[in-house]
Short mmCIF file of all heavy atoms in Angstrom, two decimals:
data_model
loop_
_atom_site.label_atom_id
_atom_site.label_comp_id
_atom_site.label_asym_id
_atom_site.label_seq_id
_atom_site.Cartn_x
_atom_site.Cartn_y
_atom_site.Cartn_z
N GLY K 1 152.59 37.22 133.20
CA GLY K 1 153.04 36.58 131.95
C GLY K 1 152.15 35.47 131.51
O GLY K 1 151.22 35.01 132.22
N MET K 2 152.44 35.03 130.30
CA MET K 2 151.64 33.87 129.78
C MET K 2 152.61 33.06 128.89
O MET K 2 153.65 33.59 128.47
CB MET K 2 150.42 34.35 128.98
CG MET K 2 150.78 35.12 127.78
SD MET K 2 149.36 35.32 126.64
CE MET K 2 149.24 33.59 126.03
N GLY K 3 152.27 31.85 128.67
CA GLY K 3 153.07 30.99 127.76
C GLY K 3 152.20 30.21 126.86
O GLY K 3 150.95 30.30 126.83
N ASP K 4 152.88 29.46 125.98
CA ASP K 4 152.12 28.58 125.05
C ASP K 4 153.05 27.42 124.73
O ASP K 4 154.23 27.42 125.10
CB ASP K 4 151.68 29.28 123.77
CG ASP K 4 152.86 29.77 122.96
OD1 ASP K 4 153.39 28.95 122.17
OD2 ASP K 4 153.35 30.91 123.14
N LEU K 5 152.55 26.47 124.06
CA LEU K 5 153.41 25.24 123.73
C LEU K 5 153.51 25.01 122.20
O LEU K 5 154.11 24.00 121.82
CB LEU K 5 152.74 23.99 124.37
CG LEU K 5 152.72 24.00 125.88
CD1 LEU K 5 151.95 22.76 126.43
CD2 LEU K 5 154.14 24.04 126.47
N ALA K 6 152.97 25.93 121.43
CA ALA K 6 152.99 25.69 119.94
C ALA K 6 154.36 25.87 119.36
O ALA K 6 155.23 26.62 119.80
CB ALA K 6 152.03 26.69 119.32
N ALA K 7 154.60 25.19 118.24
CA ALA K 7 155.79 25.37 117.40
C ALA K 7 155.55 26.63 116.50
O ALA K 7 154.46 27.15 116.41
CB ALA K 7 155.99 24.15 116.53
N ILE K 8 156.61 27.13 115.93
CA ILE K 8 156.51 28.32 115.15
C ILE K 8 155.53 28.17 113.96
O ILE K 8 154.79 29.10 113.68
CB ILE K 8 157.90 28.81 114.61
CG1 ILE K 8 157.79 30.25 114.06
CG2 ILE K 8 158.48 27.85 113.63
CD1 ILE K 8 159.17 30.89 113.90
N GLU K 9 155.47 26.99 113.39
CA GLU K 9 154.56 26.81 112.27
C GLU K 9 153.08 26.90 112.66
O GLU K 9 152.22 27.21 111.87
CB GLU K 9 154.80 25.43 111.60
CG GLU K 9 156.12 25.24 110.97
CD GLU K 9 157.20 24.72 111.92
OE1 GLU K 9 156.98 24.75 113.20
OE2 GLU K 9 158.25 24.33 111.44
N ASP K 10 152.86 26.68 113.97
CA ASP K 10 151.47 26.68 114.50
C ASP K 10 151.15 27.91 115.30
O ASP K 10 150.09 27.97 115.92
CB ASP K 10 151.27 25.41 115.33
CG ASP K 10 151.48 24.13 114.58
OD1 ASP K 10 151.03 24.04 113.45
OD2 ASP K 10 152.18 23.19 115.16
N THR K 11 152.08 28.86 115.32
CA THR K 11 151.87 30.10 116.07
C THR K 11 151.31 31.16 115.17
O THR K 11 151.99 31.58 114.19
CB THR K 11 153.18 30.63 116.72
OG1 THR K 11 153.71 29.62 117.64
CG2 THR K 11 152.97 31.89 117.44
N SER K 12 150.09 31.59 115.41
CA SER K 12 149.49 32.64 114.57
C SER K 12 150.08 34.02 114.99
O SER K 12 150.59 34.17 116.08
CB SER K 12 148.01 32.68 114.74
OG SER K 12 147.65 33.09 116.13
N LEU K 13 149.95 34.98 114.11
CA LEU K 13 150.44 36.34 114.40
C LEU K 13 149.64 36.90 115.57
O LEU K 13 150.17 37.56 116.44
CB LEU K 13 150.19 37.25 113.21
CG LEU K 13 150.63 38.72 113.35
CD1 LEU K 13 152.11 38.79 113.75
CD2 LEU K 13 150.30 39.48 112.07
N GLU K 14 148.35 36.53 115.74
CA GLU K 14 147.54 36.98 116.81
C GLU K 14 148.07 36.40 118.13
O GLU K 14 148.25 37.13 119.16
CB GLU K 14 146.09 36.53 116.64
CG GLU K 14 145.17 36.97 117.74
CD GLU K 14 143.76 36.46 117.57
OE1 GLU K 14 143.49 35.63 116.67
OE2 GLU K 14 142.88 36.92 118.33
N ASP K 15 148.39 35.16 118.14
CA ASP K 15 148.96 34.52 119.35
C ASP K 15 150.31 35.11 119.68
O ASP K 15 150.66 35.37 120.83
CB ASP K 15 149.13 33.02 119.18
CG ASP K 15 147.77 32.33 119.14
OD1 ASP K 15 146.79 32.87 119.62
OD2 ASP K 15 147.72 31.16 118.64
N TRP K 16 151.19 35.31 118.63
CA TRP K 16 152.49 35.97 118.87
C TRP K 16 152.32 37.32 119.54
O TRP K 16 152.93 37.69 120.55
CB TRP K 16 153.19 36.07 117.56
CG TRP K 16 154.40 36.96 117.54
CD1 TRP K 16 154.50 38.25 117.42
CD2 TRP K 16 155.80 36.50 117.77
NE1 TRP K 16 155.78 38.71 117.48
CE2 TRP K 16 156.60 37.65 117.74
CE3 TRP K 16 156.39 35.23 117.99
CZ2 TRP K 16 157.97 37.59 117.86
CZ3 TRP K 16 157.77 35.16 118.11
CH2 TRP K 16 158.54 36.35 118.09
N ASN K 17 151.45 38.18 118.95
CA ASN K 17 151.27 39.55 119.46
C ASN K 17 150.73 39.56 120.86
O ASN K 17 151.09 40.39 121.72
CB ASN K 17 150.36 40.32 118.50
CG ASN K 17 151.09 40.69 117.25
OD1 ASN K 17 152.28 40.78 117.20
ND2 ASN K 17 150.30 40.96 116.18
N ARG K 18 149.84 38.59 121.20
CA ARG K 18 149.28 38.55 122.56
C ARG K 18 150.34 38.23 123.54
O ARG K 18 150.45 38.84 124.62
CB ARG K 18 148.20 37.51 122.59
CG ARG K 18 147.46 37.40 123.97
CD ARG K 18 146.20 36.70 123.86
NE ARG K 18 145.57 36.58 125.24
CZ ARG K 18 145.59 35.53 125.98
NH1 ARG K 18 146.18 34.41 125.52
NH2 ARG K 18 145.00 35.48 127.15
N THR K 19 151.20 37.21 123.30
CA THR K 19 152.23 36.84 124.20
C THR K 19 153.26 37.96 124.31
O THR K 19 153.71 38.26 125.44
CB THR K 19 152.96 35.53 123.73
OG1 THR K 19 151.95 34.48 123.68
CG2 THR K 19 154.04 35.13 124.66
N ILE K 20 153.69 38.53 123.24
CA ILE K 20 154.67 39.65 123.30
C ILE K 20 154.02 40.84 124.06
O ILE K 20 154.78 41.48 124.88
CB ILE K 20 155.06 40.08 121.86
CG1 ILE K 20 155.81 38.93 121.17
CG2 ILE K 20 155.91 41.35 121.91
CD1 ILE K 20 157.15 38.62 121.75
N GLY K 21 152.77 41.10 123.87
CA GLY K 21 152.09 42.23 124.53
C GLY K 21 152.09 42.10 125.97
O GLY K 21 152.33 43.08 126.70
N ILE K 22 151.88 40.88 126.52
CA ILE K 22 151.86 40.69 127.96
C ILE K 22 153.26 40.52 128.51
O ILE K 22 153.62 41.17 129.52
CB ILE K 22 151.01 39.48 128.29
CG1 ILE K 22 149.54 39.75 127.90
CG2 ILE K 22 151.14 39.09 129.79
CD1 ILE K 22 148.62 38.53 127.99
N ASP K 23 154.06 39.59 127.90
CA ASP K 23 155.33 39.22 128.50
C ASP K 23 156.46 40.22 128.26
O ASP K 23 157.42 40.26 129.08
CB ASP K 23 155.85 37.84 127.97
CG ASP K 23 154.86 36.74 128.43
OD1 ASP K 23 153.92 37.01 129.16
OD2 ASP K 23 155.15 35.58 127.99
N GLN K 24 156.36 40.97 127.22
CA GLN K 24 157.45 41.88 126.87
C GLN K 24 157.02 43.37 126.96
O GLN K 24 157.56 44.15 127.76
CB GLN K 24 158.00 41.64 125.45
CG GLN K 24 159.04 42.59 124.93
CD GLN K 24 159.55 42.22 123.60
OE1 GLN K 24 159.57 41.07 123.19
NE2 GLN K 24 159.99 43.26 122.84
N THR K 25 155.97 43.71 126.16
CA THR K 25 155.49 45.08 126.19
C THR K 25 155.00 45.53 127.58
O THR K 25 155.23 46.65 128.01
CB THR K 25 154.37 45.30 125.19
OG1 THR K 25 154.86 44.88 123.88
CG2 THR K 25 153.96 46.73 125.07
N GLY K 26 154.40 44.60 128.33
CA GLY K 26 153.95 44.89 129.67
C GLY K 26 155.08 45.34 130.64
O GLY K 26 154.86 46.22 131.45
N VAL K 27 156.22 44.75 130.40
CA VAL K 27 157.44 45.11 131.22
C VAL K 27 157.89 46.48 130.83
O VAL K 27 158.22 47.27 131.68
CB VAL K 27 158.50 44.03 131.06
CG1 VAL K 27 159.80 44.49 131.79
CG2 VAL K 27 158.04 42.69 131.56
N PHE K 28 157.97 46.77 129.56
CA PHE K 28 158.38 48.09 129.06
C PHE K 28 157.43 49.17 129.63
O PHE K 28 157.85 50.18 130.15
CB PHE K 28 158.37 48.11 127.52
CG PHE K 28 158.16 49.44 126.89
CD1 PHE K 28 159.23 50.36 126.89
CD2 PHE K 28 156.94 49.80 126.33
CE1 PHE K 28 159.03 51.62 126.33
CE2 PHE K 28 156.77 51.07 125.77
CZ PHE K 28 157.84 51.97 125.77
N LEU K 29 156.11 48.95 129.52
CA LEU K 29 155.19 49.91 129.99
C LEU K 29 155.23 50.14 131.46
O LEU K 29 155.20 51.29 131.94
CB LEU K 29 153.71 49.50 129.61
CG LEU K 29 153.38 49.49 128.12
CD1 LEU K 29 151.98 48.82 127.92
CD2 LEU K 29 153.41 50.88 127.51
N GLY K 30 155.45 49.06 132.22
CA GLY K 30 155.56 49.22 133.65
C GLY K 30 156.74 50.09 134.07
O GLY K 30 156.58 51.00 134.91
N MET K 31 157.90 49.83 133.47
CA MET K 31 159.05 50.68 133.83
C MET K 31 158.83 52.10 133.34
O MET K 31 159.26 53.06 134.04
CB MET K 31 160.32 50.05 133.28
CG MET K 31 160.68 48.73 134.02
SD MET K 31 162.30 48.11 133.61
CE MET K 31 162.09 47.53 131.95
N LYS K 32 158.32 52.27 132.16
CA LYS K 32 158.13 53.56 131.57
C LYS K 32 157.24 54.45 132.49
O LYS K 32 157.60 55.61 132.87
CB LYS K 32 157.52 53.52 130.27
CG LYS K 32 157.20 54.88 129.59
CD LYS K 32 156.66 54.68 128.12
CE LYS K 32 156.26 56.01 127.55
NZ LYS K 32 157.41 56.95 127.35
N PHE K 33 156.10 53.88 132.90
CA PHE K 33 155.15 54.75 133.61
C PHE K 33 155.35 54.79 135.14
O PHE K 33 154.78 55.59 135.84
CB PHE K 33 153.72 54.27 133.26
CG PHE K 33 153.37 54.68 131.81
CD1 PHE K 33 153.24 53.71 130.86
CD2 PHE K 33 153.17 55.97 131.51
CE1 PHE K 33 152.96 54.05 129.52
CE2 PHE K 33 152.92 56.36 130.17
CZ PHE K 33 152.79 55.41 129.19
N ALA K 34 156.18 53.87 135.63
CA ALA K 34 156.57 53.92 137.05
C ALA K 34 157.79 54.68 137.30
O ALA K 34 158.26 54.88 138.46
CB ALA K 34 156.73 52.48 137.59
#
């Protein structure tokens, strides 16, 4: 996982997608393929 300290006004779409990709989508993919 990864985290950040930014407020929503300072969170770019790129940063949002990166965090979601690792912290959320990574869990989905792990369970799906295992």
Side-chain angles (χ1 to χ4, degrees):
M2 63 166 292
D4 66 85
L5 297 175
I8 191 165
E9 295 89 346
D10 301 317
T11 300
S12 68
L13 180 59
E14 181 182 10
D15 290 341
W16 169 274
N17 286 337
R18 181 165 180 258
T19 300
I20 296 295
I22 294 170
D23 292 1
Q24 177 178 330
T25 306
V27 175
F28 157 74
L29 291 172
M31 291 191 288
K32 177 178 175 63
F33 290 108

